[in-house]
Amino acid sequence: MNRDPLLIRWLLIALAIGFLLLFLALPLAAVLTEALRKGVLAYWHSLGGDDTLASIRLTLIVAAIAVPLNMVFGLTASWAIAKFDFAGKAWLVSLIDLPFSVSPVISGLIYVLLFGAQGILGPWLIAHDLKIIFAIPGIVLATLFVTFPFVARELIPLMEEQGRDEEEAALTLGAGGFRTFWAVTLPNVKWGLLYGVLLCNARAMGEFGAVSVVSGHIRGLTNTMPLHVEILYNEYDFVGAFAVASLLALLALVTLVAKTALAWWHRAELGATAGH
Amino acid sequence: MIEVSHLSKTFGAFRALNDVSLRIPDGKLVALLGPSGSGKTTLLRILAGLDHADSGHVHLNGLNAANLQTRDRRVGFVFQHYALFRHMSVAENVAFGLKVRKGANKLTKAEIADRVARLLDLVHLSGLAPRYPSQLSGGQRQRVALARALAVEPRLLLLDEPFGALDAQVRKDLRRWLRQLHDDMGLTSVFVTHDQEEALELADEVVVMSKGRIEQIGSPADIYDNPASPFVFQFLGNANRLDATIRDGIAHVAHWRTAATGLADGKGIAFIRPHEIDIDPHGRDATIRHHVVLGPTVRLDLRLDGDVHAEAVIDRDSHARLRLEPGQQVGLTARRIVVFAQD
Amino acid sequence: MAASKPKVIPGFSVTLGVTLAYLSLVVLIPLAALIAKAAGMSATQWLATLGDSRVLASFRLSFGGAAIAASVNGVFGLLVAWVLVRYRFPGRKIIDALIDLPFALPTAVAGIALTALYAPNGWIGHLLPFKVAFTPLGAIIAMIFIGLPFVVRTIEPVLQDVDRELEEAATSLGASRSQTFVRVILPAIAPALLTGISLAFARAVGEYGSIIFIAGNLPGFSEIAPLLIVTKLEQYDYVGATAIACLMLAASFALLLAINLLQKWNRQRRGAAS
């Protein structure tokens, strides 16, 4: 399909693969090697620690709250944006993407400034004995912020591409709003929704910067898996750090495989943005 | 009976409908005919409740439609691109309107299956019930869309460019079949089209629209024979458009004179259909510049006095009999000339 | 915002209302807290933070390092995209899927993995005659890692669209291979390439997790601006943290605007081509 000379072609391919091996494959291999450096037994042992198990539990809880919330938001926002015309729509779409361009550290900082002891609502929260920062609610909020756009930005272009004809047809056939959504719209975007949820979940479980700022790093209480990796690493428990890291790497690989599989089998139903 | 009175609708700066009034009696098959941007689809969507007018009223069987939501209007709508539910099979598409029914009108599963089977039989798609829309041809999709719309037993069937996306042969078959269906089921139907031939062939009544206004309403023969405006005349088929001068109730068009009663003196526009010109090989009104054979007919490109161009269409036999050749001078008789005042 | 006309498809006010409320609660109001805090700060407070040599050095590393990393990604991202789009070779699809690894891999994991590779006794580090980890170079390595997919994924679709006939036309008119690339292909993908580089730059400027492990975080030498925000917070210096965050946020918004304009240009190019 192309007429670039064979030599140039293979040179370029070799260069590209070399670069990718160096920057993508090698780090992945390093995680596994370091995790298993002292053998499978040490690996299993370090994963069984109480603090490690607590961090896994917390990560699952946070994702279980943040992902469904952002999923519902993504569906609501894309329905409003794709099925209706209104002034300021372009602005709204830009605002939804905003968290992607904010440094994770700043994403955590803003919640500290709002809910922290010295924050705007701090005195009120203390007076009512409510704790958000250095507690699970803060971690959930920071995670909500950084994963906010994932589902919406997947669904908005997809729903816009699909138009409004099918919804209008359902209405002329006597269906109400909810029925139209469940029976017509949702099945049409289910793969795009799954795609967005996958990416949202990977980020929710893996977020480090934003969560680090609001967590307070209390072992066994406010440590998520990525934060626990840092603590173990800083305590020179490399096998422990890399063991937890290997679980997160596994999550990343599963996400990549699922996402690639989705893109292969349902490319047409994912819309123009899929693959990003 | 549908009554539309003084409807207006703008999209931003664009006037889609401009004070449109119309009555559609029960049982008629009506065509909304016009070029794109003439407002015909907007009018159809307002009838279905898919758009709201800025002002004016729609009454469906005496009820003010403003109080009826789309889902309560009992209107069957066939979309231009069919809008079939892509993740549902043919049978599920057709059943949708029956499944969403509530309360006393709710049907049992068996009743729905029975009804779907009968509808698919009606549109000759019985074998394709388990297929998905992406597995169907354009004509088949069209018929599924129709069956789906008919499933809810509409009082009014609305079709947006129903044959627009189909190729010529399928279009012809479907037209005939739709006419039959309309008559058999006793429906009131309105369809939108930009194809004058389709409107004239299919409809009981044609509504010609342009730039958001109704230009003329009438039976196909009526609007063809007595076009109300230059627009209607030109839109309903090929026409020679010639300058006319009107003096004392007589229009002078090239070498012709024709009555122009009721028109003021001054400039006018005259239209002559190419097939309403007779050729006399012995006259000298015009010169033949080219001839083009178009199947059973021949089109002659003619130059009249004063470097005026016109076209005439005659059948192949006459053309052969008269032995017409390019460069030859011929006499021209117009069987019908329609004159309008300059607008 | 809402139009006066009743909508035919139901649910407009509810969905738009929920969207705006949730957006405000999660994103806008917290961001406003930062702005409010910044607005209440005096000029001396700003200067005390932003004039500090440690802060200035951190900005130099965050922005300068991000610029270098984005440029490296520009070159190698273009190369990778080119190879993936134009050539067929075994394993191409696996490699294509792997490109998104930096999107999917938690930054902390990337951070300790890169450190393990580039530490003086690491797999790569012990091969090199100079130090990478615990120097600014380490920070740049991490920035390259997290920025790569942005460039590749932005160029790929555009490169796919580049009309083969356009190239053949250029060749038939006597252009050499390199002339065709420089004069025909590069201009066609330039907007996408610049967009990708800007996205990679924006991400690298704000990156935290993968850098702090490998950079060594020596104040004034290998310390990045986001880390300084965290440090200031830990010292309860909210003013300092806010000042640095505001400046970075302003930079992100400026970048966002630039990226939007670039994407508009990109769309025009693609629209005009097809």
PDB file of all heavy atoms in Angstrom, chain C residues 199-222:
ATOM      1  N   LEU C 199      -1.267  19.772  23.754  1.00  0.00           N
ATOM      2  CA  LEU C 199      -1.937  18.929  24.750  1.00  0.00           C
ATOM      3  C   LEU C 199      -0.906  18.239  25.641  1.00  0.00           C
ATOM      4  O   LEU C 199      -1.057  18.185  26.869  1.00  0.00           O
ATOM      5  CB  LEU C 199      -2.811  17.877  24.055  1.00  0.00           C
ATOM      6  CG  LEU C 199      -4.111  18.383  23.418  1.00  0.00           C
ATOM      7  CD1 LEU C 199      -4.725  17.316  22.532  1.00  0.00           C
ATOM      8  CD2 LEU C 199      -5.105  18.800  24.488  1.00  0.00           C
ATOM      9  N   ALA C 200       0.155  17.715  25.013  1.00  0.00           N
ATOM     10  CA  ALA C 200       1.204  17.043  25.772  1.00  0.00           C
ATOM     11  C   ALA C 200       1.882  18.038  26.719  1.00  0.00           C
ATOM     12  O   ALA C 200       2.176  17.723  27.878  1.00  0.00           O
ATOM     13  CB  ALA C 200       2.233  16.429  24.823  1.00  0.00           C
ATOM     14  N   PHE C 201       2.114  19.252  26.230  1.00  0.00           N
ATOM     15  CA  PHE C 201       2.735  20.300  27.048  1.00  0.00           C
ATOM     16  C   PHE C 201       1.854  20.626  28.250  1.00  0.00           C
ATOM     17  O   PHE C 201       2.322  20.657  29.392  1.00  0.00           O
ATOM     18  CB  PHE C 201       2.961  21.546  26.183  1.00  0.00           C
ATOM     19  CG  PHE C 201       3.525  22.720  26.934  1.00  0.00           C
ATOM     20  CD1 PHE C 201       4.877  22.758  27.280  1.00  0.00           C
ATOM     21  CD2 PHE C 201       2.717  23.785  27.292  1.00  0.00           C
ATOM     22  CE1 PHE C 201       5.402  23.834  27.977  1.00  0.00           C
ATOM     23  CE2 PHE C 201       3.235  24.865  27.995  1.00  0.00           C
ATOM     24  CZ  PHE C 201       4.584  24.890  28.333  1.00  0.00           C
ATOM     25  N   ALA C 202       0.560  20.847  27.979  1.00  0.00           N
ATOM     26  CA  ALA C 202      -0.370  21.202  29.058  1.00  0.00           C
ATOM     27  C   ALA C 202      -0.396  20.110  30.122  1.00  0.00           C
ATOM     28  O   ALA C 202      -0.378  20.402  31.326  1.00  0.00           O
ATOM     29  CB  ALA C 202      -1.768  21.421  28.493  1.00  0.00           C
ATOM     30  N   ARG C 203      -0.415  18.851  29.682  1.00  0.00           N
ATOM     31  CA  ARG C 203      -0.449  17.757  30.633  1.00  0.00           C
ATOM     32  C   ARG C 203       0.833  17.711  31.455  1.00  0.00           C
ATOM     33  O   ARG C 203       0.809  17.511  32.666  1.00  0.00           O
ATOM     34  CB  ARG C 203      -0.657  16.440  29.870  1.00  0.00           C
ATOM     35  CG  ARG C 203      -0.572  15.192  30.690  1.00  0.00           C
ATOM     36  CD  ARG C 203      -1.772  15.041  31.594  1.00  0.00           C
ATOM     37  NE  ARG C 203      -1.469  14.166  32.724  1.00  0.00           N
ATOM     38  CZ  ARG C 203      -1.716  12.859  32.739  1.00  0.00           C
ATOM     39  NH1 ARG C 203      -2.306  12.293  31.711  1.00  0.00           N
ATOM     40  NH2 ARG C 203      -1.396  12.139  33.789  1.00  0.00           N
ATOM     41  N   ALA C 204       1.981  17.921  30.787  1.00  0.00           N
ATOM     42  CA  ALA C 204       3.272  17.813  31.468  1.00  0.00           C
ATOM     43  C   ALA C 204       3.449  18.925  32.492  1.00  0.00           C
ATOM     44  O   ALA C 204       4.020  18.709  33.565  1.00  0.00           O
ATOM     45  CB  ALA C 204       4.402  17.831  30.447  1.00  0.00           C
ATOM     46  N   VAL C 205       2.961  20.124  32.180  1.00  0.00           N
ATOM     47  CA  VAL C 205       3.103  21.249  33.107  1.00  0.00           C
ATOM     48  C   VAL C 205       2.431  20.927  34.436  1.00  0.00           C
ATOM     49  O   VAL C 205       2.970  21.205  35.503  1.00  0.00           O
ATOM     50  CB  VAL C 205       2.493  22.532  32.490  1.00  0.00           C
ATOM     51  CG1 VAL C 205       2.353  23.611  33.555  1.00  0.00           C
ATOM     52  CG2 VAL C 205       3.354  23.042  31.359  1.00  0.00           C
ATOM     53  N   GLY C 206       1.265  20.331  34.372  1.00  0.00           N
ATOM     54  CA  GLY C 206       0.520  20.086  35.600  1.00  0.00           C
ATOM     55  C   GLY C 206       0.814  18.736  36.235  1.00  0.00           C
ATOM     56  O   GLY C 206       0.297  18.436  37.306  1.00  0.00           O
ATOM     57  N   GLU C 207       1.644  17.903  35.583  1.00  0.00           N
ATOM     58  CA  GLU C 207       1.862  16.540  36.061  1.00  0.00           C
ATOM     59  C   GLU C 207       2.546  16.512  37.422  1.00  0.00           C
ATOM     60  O   GLU C 207       3.385  17.331  37.739  1.00  0.00           O
ATOM     61  CB  GLU C 207       2.684  15.761  35.021  1.00  0.00           C
ATOM     62  CG  GLU C 207       3.028  14.351  35.404  1.00  0.00           C
ATOM     63  CD  GLU C 207       1.807  13.479  35.738  1.00  0.00           C
ATOM     64  OE1 GLU C 207       0.685  13.853  35.365  1.00  0.00           O
ATOM     65  OE2 GLU C 207       1.979  12.439  36.384  1.00  0.00           O
ATOM     66  N   TYR C 208       2.146  15.549  38.218  1.00  0.00           N
ATOM     67  CA  TYR C 208       2.662  15.458  39.582  1.00  0.00           C
ATOM     68  C   TYR C 208       3.129  14.033  39.893  1.00  0.00           C
ATOM     69  O   TYR C 208       4.317  13.785  40.099  1.00  0.00           O
ATOM     70  CB  TYR C 208       1.564  15.898  40.549  1.00  0.00           C
ATOM     71  CG  TYR C 208       1.887  15.722  42.008  1.00  0.00           C
ATOM     72  CD1 TYR C 208       2.809  16.560  42.633  1.00  0.00           C
ATOM     73  CD2 TYR C 208       1.247  14.747  42.770  1.00  0.00           C
ATOM     74  CE1 TYR C 208       3.099  16.411  43.980  1.00  0.00           C
ATOM     75  CE2 TYR C 208       1.535  14.594  44.118  1.00  0.00           C
ATOM     76  CZ  TYR C 208       2.463  15.429  44.715  1.00  0.00           C
ATOM     77  OH  TYR C 208       2.740  15.275  46.047  1.00  0.00           O
ATOM     78  N   GLY C 209       2.199  13.091  39.858  1.00  0.00           N
ATOM     79  CA  GLY C 209       2.451  11.752  40.367  1.00  0.00           C
ATOM     80  C   GLY C 209       3.662  11.047  39.789  1.00  0.00           C
ATOM     81  O   GLY C 209       4.486  10.491  40.532  1.00  0.00           O
ATOM     82  N   SER C 210       3.810  11.062  38.460  1.00  0.00           N
ATOM     83  CA  SER C 210       4.901  10.284  37.893  1.00  0.00           C
ATOM     84  C   SER C 210       6.250  10.981  38.078  1.00  0.00           C
ATOM     85  O   SER C 210       7.288  10.340  38.039  1.00  0.00           O
ATOM     86  CB  SER C 210       4.630  10.023  36.406  1.00  0.00           C
ATOM     87  OG  SER C 210       4.508  11.239  35.723  1.00  0.00           O
ATOM     88  N   ILE C 211       6.222  12.313  38.305  1.00  0.00           N
ATOM     89  CA  ILE C 211       7.488  13.048  38.359  1.00  0.00           C
ATOM     90  C   ILE C 211       8.140  12.989  39.743  1.00  0.00           C
ATOM     91  O   ILE C 211       9.355  12.856  39.854  1.00  0.00           O
ATOM     92  CB  ILE C 211       7.265  14.525  37.936  1.00  0.00           C
ATOM     93  CG1 ILE C 211       6.729  14.569  36.507  1.00  0.00           C
ATOM     94  CG2 ILE C 211       8.564  15.303  38.054  1.00  0.00           C
ATOM     95  CD1 ILE C 211       6.424  15.951  36.015  1.00  0.00           C
ATOM     96  N   ILE C 212       7.306  13.073  40.795  1.00  0.00           N
ATOM     97  CA  ILE C 212       7.909  13.269  42.116  1.00  0.00           C
ATOM     98  C   ILE C 212       8.793  12.100  42.543  1.00  0.00           C
ATOM     99  O   ILE C 212       9.695  12.277  43.348  1.00  0.00           O
ATOM    100  CB  ILE C 212       6.834  13.539  43.205  1.00  0.00           C
ATOM    101  CG1 ILE C 212       5.811  12.399  43.241  1.00  0.00           C
ATOM    102  CG2 ILE C 212       6.166  14.878  42.994  1.00  0.00           C
ATOM    103  CD1 ILE C 212       5.021  12.397  44.529  1.00  0.00           C
ATOM    104  N   PHE C 213       8.546  10.914  41.980  1.00  0.00           N
ATOM    105  CA  PHE C 213       9.390   9.784  42.370  1.00  0.00           C
ATOM    106  C   PHE C 213      10.755   9.848  41.707  1.00  0.00           C
ATOM    107  O   PHE C 213      11.770   9.556  42.316  1.00  0.00           O
ATOM    108  CB  PHE C 213       8.704   8.461  42.003  1.00  0.00           C
ATOM    109  CG  PHE C 213       7.464   8.203  42.786  1.00  0.00           C
ATOM    110  CD1 PHE C 213       6.217   8.533  42.263  1.00  0.00           C
ATOM    111  CD2 PHE C 213       7.535   7.676  44.061  1.00  0.00           C
ATOM    112  CE1 PHE C 213       5.072   8.303  42.992  1.00  0.00           C
ATOM    113  CE2 PHE C 213       6.386   7.443  44.799  1.00  0.00           C
ATOM    114  CZ  PHE C 213       5.150   7.758  44.266  1.00  0.00           C
ATOM    115  N   ILE C 214      10.757  10.233  40.435  1.00  0.00           N
ATOM    116  CA  ILE C 214      11.995  10.135  39.653  1.00  0.00           C
ATOM    117  C   ILE C 214      12.842  11.412  39.747  1.00  0.00           C
ATOM    118  O   ILE C 214      14.049  11.384  39.522  1.00  0.00           O
ATOM    119  CB  ILE C 214      11.666   9.802  38.165  1.00  0.00           C
ATOM    120  CG1 ILE C 214      12.926   9.371  37.407  1.00  0.00           C
ATOM    121  CG2 ILE C 214      10.980  10.938  37.480  1.00  0.00           C
ATOM    122  CD1 ILE C 214      12.649   8.870  36.013  1.00  0.00           C
ATOM    123  N   ALA C 215      12.200  12.548  40.085  1.00  0.00           N
ATOM    124  CA  ALA C 215      12.930  13.819  39.981  1.00  0.00           C
ATOM    125  C   ALA C 215      13.860  14.061  41.157  1.00  0.00           C
ATOM    126  O   ALA C 215      14.800  14.838  41.060  1.00  0.00           O
ATOM    127  CB  ALA C 215      11.944  14.976  39.834  1.00  0.00           C
ATOM    128  N   GLY C 216      13.618  13.438  42.274  1.00  0.00           N
ATOM    129  CA  GLY C 216      14.469  13.669  43.432  1.00  0.00           C
ATOM    130  C   GLY C 216      14.073  14.892  44.238  1.00  0.00           C
ATOM    131  O   GLY C 216      14.412  15.015  45.403  1.00  0.00           O
ATOM    132  N   ASN C 217      13.377  15.832  43.608  1.00  0.00           N
ATOM    133  CA  ASN C 217      12.755  16.965  44.292  1.00  0.00           C
ATOM    134  C   ASN C 217      13.726  17.821  45.113  1.00  0.00           C
ATOM    135  O   ASN C 217      13.408  18.227  46.226  1.00  0.00           O
ATOM    136  CB  ASN C 217      11.612  16.482  45.210  1.00  0.00           C
ATOM    137  CG  ASN C 217      10.672  15.563  44.475  1.00  0.00           C
ATOM    138  OD1 ASN C 217      10.445  15.737  43.271  1.00  0.00           O
ATOM    139  ND2 ASN C 217      10.139  14.571  45.167  1.00  0.00           N
ATOM    140  N   LEU C 218      14.908  18.079  44.573  1.00  0.00           N
ATOM    141  CA  LEU C 218      15.824  18.986  45.266  1.00  0.00           C
ATOM    142  C   LEU C 218      15.365  20.421  45.029  1.00  0.00           C
ATOM    143  O   LEU C 218      15.247  20.848  43.884  1.00  0.00           O
ATOM    144  CB  LEU C 218      17.243  18.813  44.727  1.00  0.00           C
ATOM    145  CG  LEU C 218      17.955  17.530  45.168  1.00  0.00           C
ATOM    146  CD1 LEU C 218      19.281  17.387  44.443  1.00  0.00           C
ATOM    147  CD2 LEU C 218      18.162  17.547  46.686  1.00  0.00           C
ATOM    148  N   PRO C 219      15.099  21.171  46.108  1.00  0.00           N
ATOM    149  CA  PRO C 219      14.613  22.544  45.928  1.00  0.00           C
ATOM    150  C   PRO C 219      15.568  23.346  45.041  1.00  0.00           C
ATOM    151  O   PRO C 219      16.779  23.256  45.190  1.00  0.00           O
ATOM    152  CB  PRO C 219      14.586  23.100  47.346  1.00  0.00           C
ATOM    153  CG  PRO C 219      14.416  21.905  48.216  1.00  0.00           C
ATOM    154  CD  PRO C 219      15.154  20.799  47.526  1.00  0.00           C
ATOM    155  N   GLY C 220      14.966  24.097  44.108  1.00  0.00           N
ATOM    156  CA  GLY C 220      15.768  24.939  43.234  1.00  0.00           C
ATOM    157  C   GLY C 220      16.457  24.169  42.119  1.00  0.00           C
ATOM    158  O   GLY C 220      17.097  24.757  41.262  1.00  0.00           O
ATOM    159  N   PHE C 221      16.371  22.851  42.124  1.00  0.00           N
ATOM    160  CA  PHE C 221      17.083  22.078  41.105  1.00  0.00           C
ATOM    161  C   PHE C 221      16.135  21.140  40.353  1.00  0.00           C
ATOM    162  O   PHE C 221      15.950  21.274  39.142  1.00  0.00           O
ATOM    163  CB  PHE C 221      18.202  21.281  41.770  1.00  0.00           C
ATOM    164  CG  PHE C 221      18.959  20.388  40.831  1.00  0.00           C
ATOM    165  CD1 PHE C 221      19.702  20.922  39.776  1.00  0.00           C
ATOM    166  CD2 PHE C 221      18.946  19.004  40.998  1.00  0.00           C
ATOM    167  CE1 PHE C 221      20.399  20.087  38.909  1.00  0.00           C
ATOM    168  CE2 PHE C 221      19.634  18.167  40.128  1.00  0.00           C
ATOM    169  CZ  PHE C 221      20.369  18.718  39.090  1.00  0.00           C
ATOM    170  N   SER C 222      15.536  20.219  41.071  1.00  0.00           N
ATOM    171  CA  SER C 222      14.681  19.242  40.383  1.00  0.00           C
ATOM    172  C   SER C 222      13.295  19.197  41.031  1.00  0.00           C
ATOM    173  O   SER C 222      12.681  18.155  41.112  1.00  0.00           O
ATOM    174  CB  SER C 222      15.340  17.858  40.380  1.00  0.00           C
ATOM    175  OG  SER C 222      15.516  17.412  41.709  1.00  0.00           O
TER     176      SER C 222
END
